Amino acid sequence: MQDEKKKLKIVVGMATCKGRERHVKKACDSLKHQVDVIHVYDNEKEAVNLTDNGKFFFLQYYTDPIYYFSCDDDIFYPPTYIQDTIKLIDEYESIITYHGRILLGTGRNYYKGHMTFRCLGKVNEHAVIDVPGTGVTAFRTDFFNPTEIWSDSRQKMTDLLCGLESAKQGVQIVCAKHEVGYFRDLNAPISTSIYHEQVKNCDVQNNIADEIYKIKYFTDNN
């Protein structure tokens, strides 16, 4: 069984935008020797601007099971990132991420009202979480395949859409332990950062987080 898993194609999906041309090249350079295919959805060149949802655009073209890595264009990935993550995917049979949130309830501010695990910081132990950071997330498509995220009209909140889909499908998300420096920030212009654009106006994000929480916890309690 393990030999069969190792034969699965390893695919990266990434989205980028104007102002990040140098950064996306460096991000791809850090991954290209570790994977079979890197797809980049360039929102500047495509007919439709999907923002960060473009990371999942390429899932629709794969019918056989693959390892799918959703990556960001402003992160330099470690040389063992893919093999480290595949090992965890196979061990836990879960979505694996290195960034995300445990939701602490409803009616909270998504960015400030929940427990956060950061890819650029240290995570001491593996933790089951509710919302993954989709710049450092991977899964096998034979147990999780969120093919509709790319076309969702709610943009610039792909992490939450992925968390919502995992809640609906009942697929566990594990945030993996790692040290500071495992990932390197490529310091893309702050003007192109979704976080800094959305953090002060996150009503839609709050609502999706509430929906995830209700699916995962209200159902269990009732």
Side-chain angles (χ1 to χ4, degrees), residues 2-3 24 26 43 78 91 100 109 113 120 145 150 176 205 218:
Q2 187 67 19
D3 290 341
V24 70
K26 290 180 179 179
N43 286 292
E91 179 180 353
N109 181 287
L120 297 177
N145 197 4
W150 73 269
Q205 287 91 334
F218 284 12

Side-chain angles (χ1 to χ4, degrees), residues 11-220:
V11 178
V12 167
M14 188 182 294
T16 193
C17 61
K18 185 177 181 180
R20 293 189 174 220
E21 293 81 5
R22 291 187 298 107
H23 306 85
V24 70
K25 183 182 184 304
K26 290 180 179 179
C28 289
D29 284 346
S30 70
L31 291 164
K32 64 184 181 182
H33 300 299
Q34 304 184 56
V35 304
D36 296 307
V37 182
I38 298 177
H39 297 289
V40 178
Y41 191 95
D42 190 337
N43 286 292
E44 183 69 16
K45 296 178 180 178
E46 298 291 342
V48 179
N49 186 343
L50 300 178
T51 66
D52 54 340
N53 289 359
K55 284 182 276 192
F56 292 92
F57 178 79
F58 308 99
L59 277 170
Q60 62 188 304
Y61 298 118
Y62 292 91
T63 55
D64 293 332
I66 59 172
Y67 292 108
Y68 195 83
F69 285 76
S70 61
C71 295
D72 276 351
D73 61 353
D74 60 351
I75 294 175
F76 193 88
Y77 294 84
T80 60
Y81 175 61
I82 300 299
Q83 67 183 47
D84 294 345
T85 307
I86 286 177
K87 182 179 178 181
L88 293 173
I89 291 171
D90 291 342
E91 179 180 353
Y92 286 91
E93 296 186 346
S94 300
I95 300 164
I96 300 296
T97 191
Y98 295 80
H99 186 105
R101 287 175 173 79
I102 292 176
L103 302 178
L104 301 179
T106 58
R108 292 170 171 260
N109 181 287
Y110 171 64
Y111 290 107
K112 300 178 181 179
H114 302 286
M115 184 183 299
T116 303
F117 299 82
R118 301 191 184 281
C119 66
L120 297 177
K122 181 176 181 178
V123 174
N124 292 316
E125 299 293 340
H126 298 327
V128 177
I129 66 172
D130 302 306
V131 181
T134 54
V136 286
T137 289
F139 47 85
R140 280 178 51 137
T141 57
D142 51 350
F143 65 80
F144 182 65
N145 197 4
T147 55
E148 303 302 318
I149 287 179
W150 73 269
S151 60
D152 197 298
S153 61
R154 296 168 292 185
Q155 296 184 343
K156 300 184 179 181
M157 52 196 74
T158 305
D159 294 358
L160 280 157
L161 295 178
C162 189
L164 179 59
E165 191 60 31
S166 71
K168 289 178 177 178
Q169 294 186 27
V171 180
Q172 181 176 258
I173 306 168
V174 174
C175 184
K177 64 181 180 180
H178 60 278
E179 298 293 327
V180 174
Y182 184 70
F183 299 99
R184 284 168 45 199
D185 186 358
L186 290 174
N187 297 311
I190 196 169
S191 61
T192 62
S193 166
I194 289 176
Y195 170 82
H196 285 90
E197 176 186 329
Q198 299 289 316
V199 67
K200 295 182 180 179
N201 183 22
C202 58
D203 289 346
V204 178
Q205 287 91 334
N206 298 344
N207 291 337
I208 300 174
D210 287 354
E211 187 177 354
I212 294 169
Y213 190 87
K214 290 173 183 177
I215 291 171
K216 295 188 70 172
Y217 301 109
F218 284 12
T219 301
D220 291 343

